[in-house]
Amino acid sequence: MKRAIIIGATSGIGQEVAKKLLSEGWQLGIAGRRENELKNLQKLSPEQIFVQTIDITQEDAPLHLQELITQTGGMDLYFHASGIGNQNIELQTDIELRTVETNALGFVRMVTAAFQYFRQQNNGHLAVISSIAGTKGLGSAPAYSATKRFQNTYMEALAQLAYMEKLDIHFTDIRPGFVATAFLNDGHKYPMLMSSERVAKHIVHALKCRQRVAIIDGRYACMVFFWRLIPRWLWERLHIYL
Ligand SMILES: NC(=O)c1ccc[n+]([C@@H]2O[C@H](COP(=O)([O-])OP(=O)(O)OC[C@H]3O[C@@H](n4cnc5c(N)ncnc54)[C@H](OP(=O)(O)O)[C@@H]3O)[C@@H](O)[C@H]2O)c1
Protein backbone atom coordinates (compact mmCIF):
# COMPACT_ATOMS: atom_id res chain seq x y z
CA MET A 1 0.00 0.00 0.00
CA LYS A 2 1.26 3.47 -0.95
CA ARG A 3 1.44 6.14 1.76
CA ALA A 4 0.80 9.84 1.17
CA ILE A 5 1.13 12.77 3.53
CA ILE A 6 -1.14 15.66 2.58
CA ILE A 7 -0.58 19.03 4.22
CA GLY A 8 -3.60 21.26 3.68
CA ALA A 9 -6.22 18.50 3.50
CA THR A 10 -8.89 20.28 5.57
CA SER A 11 -10.65 21.85 2.57
CA GLY A 12 -10.57 22.58 -1.14
CA ILE A 13 -8.18 20.93 -3.55
CA GLY A 14 -6.11 19.15 -0.89
CA GLN A 15 -9.22 17.54 0.57
CA GLU A 16 -10.38 16.37 -2.87
CA VAL A 17 -6.97 14.90 -3.65
CA ALA A 18 -7.13 13.08 -0.30
CA LYS A 19 -10.53 11.59 -1.19
CA LYS A 20 -9.30 10.51 -4.62
CA LEU A 21 -6.16 8.83 -3.24
CA LEU A 22 -8.28 7.21 -0.54
CA SER A 23 -10.59 5.69 -3.14
CA GLU A 24 -7.50 4.30 -4.88
CA GLY A 25 -6.41 2.51 -1.71
CA TRP A 26 -3.68 4.82 -0.44
CA GLN A 27 -2.87 5.07 3.27
CA LEU A 28 -3.09 8.75 4.20
CA GLY A 29 -1.60 11.06 6.79
CA ILE A 30 -3.49 14.34 6.64
CA ALA A 31 -2.79 17.70 8.24
CA GLY A 32 -3.95 21.29 8.52
CA ARG A 33 -4.84 23.63 11.36
CA ARG A 34 -8.57 22.76 11.65
CA GLU A 35 -8.80 19.62 13.74
CA ASN A 36 -12.55 19.12 13.22
CA GLU A 37 -12.15 19.04 9.46
CA LEU A 38 -9.37 16.49 9.76
CA LYS A 39 -11.50 14.28 12.01
CA ASN A 40 -14.49 14.53 9.65
CA LEU A 41 -12.33 13.37 6.78
CA GLN A 42 -10.87 10.57 8.90
CA LYS A 43 -14.40 9.23 9.48
CA LEU A 44 -14.52 8.22 5.80
CA SER A 45 -12.03 5.43 6.54
CA PRO A 46 -10.57 5.49 10.06
CA GLU A 47 -8.19 2.56 9.45
CA GLN A 48 -6.74 4.21 6.34
CA ILE A 49 -6.39 7.82 7.55
CA PHE A 50 -4.17 9.32 10.26
CA VAL A 51 -4.47 12.92 11.37
CA GLN A 52 -2.24 15.58 12.86
CA THR A 53 -2.93 19.28 13.36
CA ILE A 54 -0.07 21.21 11.84
CA ASP A 55 0.37 24.94 11.36
CA ILE A 56 3.15 25.30 8.82
CA THR A 57 4.02 28.79 10.06
CA GLN A 58 5.14 27.33 13.39
CA GLU A 59 8.71 26.20 14.03
CA ASP A 60 7.64 22.84 15.45
CA ALA A 61 5.73 21.90 12.26
CA PRO A 62 8.47 19.51 10.99
CA LEU A 63 8.35 17.61 14.30
CA HIS A 64 4.61 17.12 13.84
CA LEU A 65 5.23 16.08 10.25
CA GLN A 66 7.60 13.38 11.51
CA GLU A 67 4.95 12.21 14.02
CA LEU A 68 2.40 11.98 11.23
CA ILE A 69 4.80 10.01 9.00
CA THR A 70 5.40 7.57 11.86
CA GLN A 71 1.65 7.14 12.49
CA THR A 72 1.04 6.61 8.76
CA GLY A 73 3.75 3.95 8.61
CA GLY A 74 6.05 5.88 6.26
CA MET A 75 5.81 8.32 3.35
CA ASP A 76 6.01 7.67 -0.39
CA LEU A 77 4.34 10.93 -1.45
CA TYR A 78 4.55 14.32 0.23
CA PHE A 79 1.76 16.55 -1.10
CA HIS A 80 1.82 20.22 -0.13
CA ALA A 81 -1.57 21.89 -0.67
CA SER A 82 -1.40 24.48 2.13
CA GLY A 83 -1.53 28.05 0.98
CA ILE A 84 -3.24 31.38 1.40
CA GLY A 85 -3.84 34.29 -0.94
CA ASN A 86 -5.56 37.63 -0.99
CA GLN A 87 -6.15 40.46 -3.35
CA ASN A 88 -4.22 43.31 -1.84
CA ILE A 89 -4.52 46.37 -3.99
CA GLU A 90 -4.13 48.59 -0.90
CA LEU A 91 -0.83 46.80 -0.31
CA GLN A 92 -1.44 46.20 3.38
CA THR A 93 1.83 45.05 4.86
CA ASP A 94 0.28 42.52 7.26
CA ILE A 95 -1.49 40.70 4.40
CA GLU A 96 1.70 40.60 2.37
CA LEU A 97 3.75 39.29 5.29
CA ARG A 98 1.18 36.65 6.27
CA THR A 99 1.22 35.37 2.70
CA VAL A 100 5.02 35.18 2.70
CA GLU A 101 4.98 33.39 6.07
CA THR A 102 2.66 30.68 4.77
CA ASN A 103 3.50 30.32 1.07
CA ALA A 104 7.25 30.90 1.29
CA LEU A 105 8.55 30.31 4.85
CA GLY A 106 6.01 27.62 5.79
CA PHE A 107 6.46 25.97 2.42
CA VAL A 108 10.26 25.82 2.78
CA ARG A 109 9.96 24.59 6.36
CA MET A 110 7.87 21.63 5.23
CA VAL A 111 9.39 20.70 1.88
CA THR A 112 12.92 20.72 3.27
CA ALA A 113 11.78 18.29 5.99
CA ALA A 114 10.12 16.10 3.34
CA PHE A 115 13.21 16.26 1.11
CA GLN A 116 15.47 15.20 4.02
CA TYR A 117 13.17 12.25 4.72
CA PHE A 118 13.23 11.14 1.08
CA ARG A 119 16.97 11.71 0.90
CA GLN A 120 17.45 9.27 3.78
CA GLN A 121 15.27 6.59 2.24
CA ASN A 122 16.58 7.49 -1.26
CA ASN A 123 13.09 7.37 -2.67
CA GLY A 124 9.95 9.47 -2.76
CA HIS A 125 7.72 11.90 -4.60
CA LEU A 126 7.41 15.54 -3.56
CA ALA A 127 4.48 17.53 -4.96
CA VAL A 128 3.17 21.05 -4.38
CA ILE A 129 0.16 23.00 -5.55
CA SER A 130 1.65 26.31 -6.66
CA SER A 131 -0.40 28.25 -9.24
CA ILE A 132 -0.44 29.78 -12.68
CA ALA A 133 -0.22 33.05 -10.71
CA GLY A 134 3.53 32.45 -10.43
CA THR A 135 3.94 33.04 -14.17
CA LYS A 136 3.91 36.85 -13.91
CA GLY A 137 3.80 39.47 -11.16
CA LEU A 138 0.17 40.39 -10.42
CA GLY A 139 -0.46 43.95 -9.27
CA SER A 140 -3.64 42.93 -7.47
CA ALA A 141 -1.88 40.20 -5.45
CA PRO A 142 1.85 40.96 -5.20
CA ALA A 143 2.84 38.57 -2.38
CA TYR A 144 0.64 35.79 -3.72
CA SER A 145 2.08 35.87 -7.24
CA ALA A 146 5.64 36.31 -5.95
CA THR A 147 5.42 33.44 -3.46
CA LYS A 148 3.97 31.15 -6.10
CA ARG A 149 6.92 31.97 -8.37
CA PHE A 150 9.16 31.27 -5.39
CA GLN A 151 7.59 27.81 -5.07
CA ASN A 152 8.14 27.13 -8.79
CA THR A 153 11.81 28.05 -8.54
CA TYR A 154 12.33 26.18 -5.28
CA MET A 155 10.95 22.97 -6.77
CA GLU A 156 13.27 23.38 -9.76
CA ALA A 157 16.21 23.82 -7.39
CA LEU A 158 15.29 20.73 -5.35
CA ALA A 159 14.90 18.67 -8.52
CA GLN A 160 18.39 19.70 -9.59
CA LEU A 161 19.80 18.96 -6.12
CA ALA A 162 18.27 15.48 -6.16
CA TYR A 163 19.73 14.85 -9.61
CA MET A 164 23.17 16.06 -8.46
CA GLU A 165 23.03 13.56 -5.61
CA LYS A 166 21.58 10.79 -7.82
CA LEU A 167 18.59 10.49 -5.51
CA ASP A 168 15.49 8.64 -6.64
CA ILE A 169 13.14 11.50 -5.77
CA HIS A 170 10.47 12.82 -8.14
CA PHE A 171 8.97 16.30 -8.18
CA THR A 172 5.62 17.58 -9.37
CA ASP A 173 4.73 21.27 -9.47
CA ILE A 174 0.97 21.62 -9.94
CA ARG A 175 -0.23 24.93 -11.35
CA PRO A 176 -4.00 25.23 -11.48
CA GLY A 177 -6.07 28.09 -12.85
CA PHE A 178 -9.20 29.23 -11.00
CA VAL A 179 -10.76 26.57 -8.79
CA ALA A 180 -14.08 26.98 -6.95
CA THR A 181 -12.94 26.66 -3.34
CA ALA A 182 -13.21 28.79 -0.19
CA PHE A 183 -9.90 30.29 -1.30
CA LEU A 184 -11.72 32.17 -4.09
CA ASN A 185 -14.85 32.71 -2.05
CA ASP A 186 -16.16 29.70 -4.01
CA GLY A 187 -15.28 31.41 -7.25
CA HIS A 188 -18.49 33.29 -7.95
CA LYS A 189 -17.03 35.90 -10.30
CA TYR A 190 -14.07 34.08 -11.83
CA PRO A 191 -13.88 32.97 -15.48
CA MET A 192 -12.94 29.44 -16.63
CA LEU A 193 -13.70 28.19 -13.12
CA MET A 194 -13.00 24.51 -12.41
CA SER A 195 -14.46 22.28 -9.69
CA SER A 196 -12.06 20.94 -7.08
CA GLU A 197 -13.17 17.38 -7.97
CA ARG A 198 -12.12 17.85 -11.60
CA VAL A 199 -8.83 19.45 -10.61
CA ALA A 200 -8.13 16.60 -8.16
CA LYS A 201 -8.57 14.10 -11.01
CA HIS A 202 -6.03 15.98 -13.12
CA ILE A 203 -3.66 16.14 -10.16
CA VAL A 204 -3.80 12.42 -9.40
CA HIS A 205 -3.19 11.71 -13.09
CA ALA A 206 -0.17 14.05 -13.06
CA LEU A 207 1.15 12.32 -9.94
CA LYS A 208 0.78 8.88 -11.47
CA CYS A 209 2.60 10.02 -14.63
CA ARG A 210 5.22 11.73 -12.45
CA GLN A 211 4.73 14.90 -14.46
CA ARG A 212 7.32 17.48 -13.45
CA VAL A 213 5.04 20.48 -14.08
CA ALA A 214 1.27 20.19 -14.50
CA ILE A 215 -0.72 23.24 -15.58
CA ILE A 216 -4.40 22.53 -15.00
CA ASP A 217 -6.24 22.52 -17.32
CA GLY A 218 -5.35 22.67 -21.04
CA ARG A 219 -7.08 26.06 -21.45
CA TYR A 220 -4.87 27.55 -18.76
CA ALA A 221 -1.79 25.91 -20.30
CA CYS A 222 -2.57 27.82 -23.52
CA MET A 223 -3.16 31.03 -21.60
CA VAL A 224 0.13 30.72 -19.71
CA PHE A 225 1.96 30.08 -22.97
CA PHE A 226 0.73 33.42 -24.33
CA TRP A 227 1.16 35.28 -21.00
CA ARG A 228 4.83 34.34 -21.09
CA LEU A 229 5.24 35.95 -24.50
CA ILE A 230 3.99 39.32 -23.30
CA PRO A 231 7.02 41.63 -22.93
CA ARG A 232 7.58 43.22 -19.54
CA TRP A 233 6.97 46.80 -20.73
CA LEU A 234 3.51 45.76 -21.96
CA TRP A 235 2.66 43.49 -19.01
CA GLU A 236 3.32 46.30 -16.54
CA ARG A 237 0.83 48.50 -18.38
CA LEU A 238 -2.04 46.00 -18.29
CA HIS A 239 -4.93 46.37 -15.85
CA ILE A 240 -5.47 42.91 -14.38
CA TYR A 241 -7.76 42.68 -11.37
CA LEU A 242 -7.92 39.08 -10.12
N1 LIG B 1 -8.54 27.94 -5.60
C1 LIG B 1 -7.80 28.37 -6.60
O1 LIG B 1 -8.31 29.02 -7.55
C2 LIG B 1 -6.33 28.05 -6.65
C3 LIG B 1 -5.67 28.25 -7.86
C4 LIG B 1 -4.31 27.97 -7.94
C5 LIG B 1 -3.64 27.51 -6.83
N2 LIG B 1 -4.32 27.33 -5.67
C6 LIG B 1 -3.55 26.86 -4.53
O2 LIG B 1 -4.09 25.64 -4.08
C7 LIG B 1 -3.78 25.48 -2.70
C8 LIG B 1 -5.04 25.02 -1.96
O3 LIG B 1 -6.01 26.04 -2.05
P1 LIG B 1 -7.58 25.77 -2.13
O4 LIG B 1 -8.07 26.48 -3.32
O5 LIG B 1 -7.85 24.32 -1.97
O6 LIG B 1 -8.07 26.64 -0.89
P2 LIG B 1 -8.54 26.26 0.60
O7 LIG B 1 -9.77 25.44 0.55
O8 LIG B 1 -8.58 27.56 1.32
O9 LIG B 1 -7.36 25.34 1.16
C9 LIG B 1 -6.21 25.88 1.74
C10 LIG B 1 -5.59 24.82 2.61
O10 LIG B 1 -4.38 25.37 3.15
C11 LIG B 1 -4.34 25.08 4.53
N3 LIG B 1 -3.54 26.07 5.24
C12 LIG B 1 -3.60 27.41 5.17
N4 LIG B 1 -2.75 27.97 6.04
C13 LIG B 1 -2.14 26.94 6.68
C14 LIG B 1 -1.17 26.86 7.72
N5 LIG B 1 -0.65 27.96 8.30
N6 LIG B 1 -0.77 25.63 8.15
C15 LIG B 1 -1.29 24.52 7.59
N7 LIG B 1 -2.21 24.53 6.60
C16 LIG B 1 -2.64 25.73 6.17
C17 LIG B 1 -5.81 25.12 4.96
O11 LIG B 1 -5.96 24.37 6.15
P3 LIG B 1 -6.28 25.02 7.60
O12 LIG B 1 -7.02 26.29 7.38
O13 LIG B 1 -7.11 23.96 8.29
O14 LIG B 1 -4.96 25.19 8.22
C18 LIG B 1 -6.48 24.43 3.78
O15 LIG B 1 -6.47 23.05 3.95
C19 LIG B 1 -3.23 26.82 -2.22
O16 LIG B 1 -1.81 26.73 -2.12
C20 LIG B 1 -3.58 27.79 -3.32
O17 LIG B 1 -2.63 28.82 -3.46
C21 LIG B 1 -5.65 27.59 -5.55
Side-chain angles (χ1 to χ4, degrees):
M1 189 185 283
K2 287 273 198 178
R3 301 145 303 176
I5 299 293
I6 304 181
I7 312 293
T10 48
S11 61
I13 308 169
Q15 189 174 73
E16 284 306 322
V17 169
K19 287 180 184 165
K20 189 91 185 60
L21 292 180
L22 190 68
S23 71
E24 297 194 3
W26 285 64
Q27 184 107 329
L28 298 183
I30 57 169
R33 290 166 303 179
R34 288 168 288 165
E35 197 177 1
N36 277 348
E37 305 302 330
L38 293 172
K39 290 200 167 143
N40 285 339
L41 191 53
Q42 189 182 34
K43 281 181 197 151
L44 293 179
S45 182
E47 67 292 342
Q48 224 179 319
I49 302 183
F50 302 87
V51 304
Q52 179 78 50
T53 48
I54 298 181
D55 181 343
I56 62 168
T57 66
Q58 299 301 304
E59 275 182 19
D60 60 0
L63 290 177
H64 296 309
L65 171 64
Q66 187 50 56
E67 283 165 21
L68 184 58
I69 295 171
T70 306
Q71 279 190 75
T72 311
M75 174 168 77
D76 303 297
L77 167 67
Y78 174 84
F79 188 83
H80 191 97
S82 291
I84 60 168
N86 289 93
Q87 278 197 354
N88 192 12
I89 287 164
E90 292 78 24
L91 206 62
Q92 291 178 41
T93 306
D94 60 327
I95 293 181
E96 295 300 89
L97 292 180
R98 233 180 302 129
T99 306
V100 171
E101 269 170 19
T102 305
N103 296 357
L105 300 183
F107 163 79
V108 170
R109 179 174 287 119
M110 301 309 284
V111 298
T112 50
F115 185 95
Q116 299 293 12
Y117 180 90
F118 289 146
R119 183 187 249 162
Q120 272 197 345
Q121 73 176 13
N122 190 17
N123 181 256
H125 190 164
L126 204 158
V128 60
I129 308 180
S130 63
S131 173
I132 58 159
T135 311
K136 292 272 189 190
L138 294 172
S140 58
Y144 185 68
S145 54
T147 53
K148 289 300 173 176
R149 174 71 75 91
F150 176 89
Q151 294 181 344
N152 302 155
T153 306
Y154 205 86
M155 289 290 279
E156 190 173 87
L158 289 187
Q160 189 182 66
L161 178 61
Y163 193 82
M164 278 155 57
E165 294 187 10
K166 298 187 173 50
L167 296 170
D168 187 21
I169 306 177
H170 301 272
F171 298 86
T172 301
D173 181 350
I174 297 146
R175 304 178 187 174
F178 294 129
V179 190
T181 65
F183 182 87
L184 282 189
N185 194 17
D186 285 324
H188 297 310
K189 65 176 167 62
Y190 290 88
M192 299 206 296
L193 196 63
M194 301 175 285
S195 71
S196 49
E197 292 86 351
R198 190 161 151 245
V199 169
K201 252 193 210 170
H202 278 281
I203 290 176
V204 171
H205 176 75
L207 293 173
K208 280 183 187 162
C209 300
R210 291 181 172 171
Q211 249 173 277
R212 179 56 195 88
V213 174
I215 300 176
I216 300 171
D217 56 8
R219 296 168 303 168
Y220 283 100
C222 273
M223 200 178 95
V224 164
F225 176 81
F226 287 110
W227 265 15
R228 284 213 176 101
L229 299 179
I230 299 176
R232 188 186 297 133
W233 66 266
L234 177 57
W235 179 262
E236 290 175 0
R237 280 158 183 76
L238 296 179
H239 291 243
I240 298 178
Y241 292 95
L242 293 178

